[in-house]
């Protein structure tokens, strides 16, 4: 909520995380890594509209707003 780095380890795919940011805090990027899975990522705003996406099916993916 305050923009601090968060790490989730050993999650099962498919995986999604919803974060509600405090007023004045903005999210700039999301990075995901996998040993075996092919990943994509996206960042959506409060209405569900995508503001950043990466769809390369890679082991490491980063979305930057």
């Amino acid at each position: 909520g305050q923009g601090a780095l968060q790490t989730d380890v050993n999650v099962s795919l498919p995986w999604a995380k919803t974060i509600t940011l405090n007023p004045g805090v903005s999210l700039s990027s999301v990075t995901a890594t996998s040993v075996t899975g092919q990943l994509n990522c996206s960042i959506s705003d409060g209405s569900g509209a995508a503001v950043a996406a990466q769809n390369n099916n890679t082991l490491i993916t980063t979305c930057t707003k």
Side-chain angles (χ1 to χ4, degrees):
Q2 297 179 7
L5 178 65
Q6 295 184 11
T7 302
D8 293 340
V9 180
N10 294 326
V11 297
S12 298
L13 298 177
W15 174 82
K17 184 168 188 161
T18 300
I19 299 169
T20 302
L21 300 174
N22 292 343
V25 176
S26 62
L27 177 68
S28 60
S29 69
V30 172
T31 300
T33 61
S34 174
V35 177
T36 59
Q38 299 297 300
L39 304 174
N40 298 306
C41 68
S42 65
I43 299 172
S44 303
D45 65 14
S47 68
V51 294
Q54 186 273 91
N55 296 304
N56 294 334
N57 293 315
T58 56
L59 294 177
I60 300 173
T61 184
T62 301
C63 290
T64 303
K65 178 178 134 187

